[in-house]
Amino acid sequence: MIEFHLDARSGVAPYMQLIQQVRQAMRLGRLNEGDRLPTVKEVVAKVAINPNTVLKAYRELEYEGLVAVRAGIGTYVTRTLSDASLAAHGRLREELEQWLGRARHAGLDEESIEALFVSTFRTPAGERA
């Protein structure tokens, strides 16, 4: 089961963070069709968030057709976002972990690593200095 976390410094609304985490877990094969999401009560207890915020996220996921609410039972994943590329994730994750180790060894802190990654990811290859 997915465990949610919130980053108050991200600038992203809490309900959107929940949606992004569910979508990411689906894309990485951590949530599959038929899996149950945590109840609103469980999420509220874990991340200290307003229940309406969790409900808003779950409603949006339901609207997208990713989950279905079964009254009195829970919220269940109705489809997945992973694809054939899932097989490559393990090797790529290992390479990324090695890169992160080198970045930390070079003295970069978490914020600097994230800034470097995001700027590289968002800048087309031909435009990188």
Side-chain angles (χ1 to χ4, degrees), residues 1-4 22 31 35-44 46 54 58 73-77:
M1 184 183 304
I2 188 170
E3 288 202 24
F4 293 112
V22 169
L31 276 178
D35 289 347
R36 184 178 69 82
L37 294 182
T39 65
V40 172
K41 186 176 181 178
E42 290 168 341
V43 177
V44 168
K46 176 73 177 166
V54 181
Y58 282 13
I73 300 174
T75 303
Y76 290 84
V77 175

Side-chain angles (χ1 to χ4, degrees), residues 15 110 118 126:
Y15 87 97
E110 198 170 298
V118 170

Side-chain angles (χ1 to χ4, degrees), residues 1-128:
M1 184 183 304
I2 188 170
E3 288 202 24
F4 293 112
H5 58 278
L6 296 177
D7 181 359
R9 298 175 299 143
S10 73
V12 177
Y15 87 97
M16 281 303 301
Q17 290 184 49
L18 299 179
I19 292 169
Q20 289 170 347
Q21 289 172 46
V22 169
R23 292 177 63 82
Q24 182 181 46
M26 290 175 165
R27 201 168 300 288
L28 295 175
R30 293 184 178 148
L31 276 178
N32 298 298
E33 189 173 333
D35 289 347
R36 184 178 69 82
L37 294 182
T39 65
V40 172
K41 186 176 181 178
E42 290 168 341
V43 177
V44 168
K46 176 73 177 166
V47 296
I49 189 173
N50 186 305
N52 290 328
T53 302
V54 181
L55 288 169
K56 182 175 182 178
Y58 282 13
R59 276 192 305 268
E60 180 67 26
L61 290 164
E62 185 176 25
Y63 176 76
E64 292 177 16
L66 299 175
V67 302
V69 177
R70 298 182 190 157
I73 300 174
T75 303
Y76 290 84
V77 175
T78 55
R79 67 183 179 103
T80 184
L81 295 175
S82 63
D83 57 23
S85 71
L86 190 58
H89 287 198
R91 182 179 51 76
L92 292 170
R93 179 181 297 275
E94 288 175 18
E95 292 174 13
L96 182 56
E97 287 172 351
Q98 291 171 3
W99 180 85
L100 287 169
R102 290 193 306 272
R104 288 184 182 109
H105 185 71
L108 276 71
D109 62 9
E110 198 170 298
E111 252 182 68
S112 298
I113 291 170
E114 184 177 358
L116 177 61
F117 177 82
V118 170
S119 69
T120 304
F121 181 74
R122 302 245 187 262
T123 305
E127 296 179 21
R128 293 186 195 130

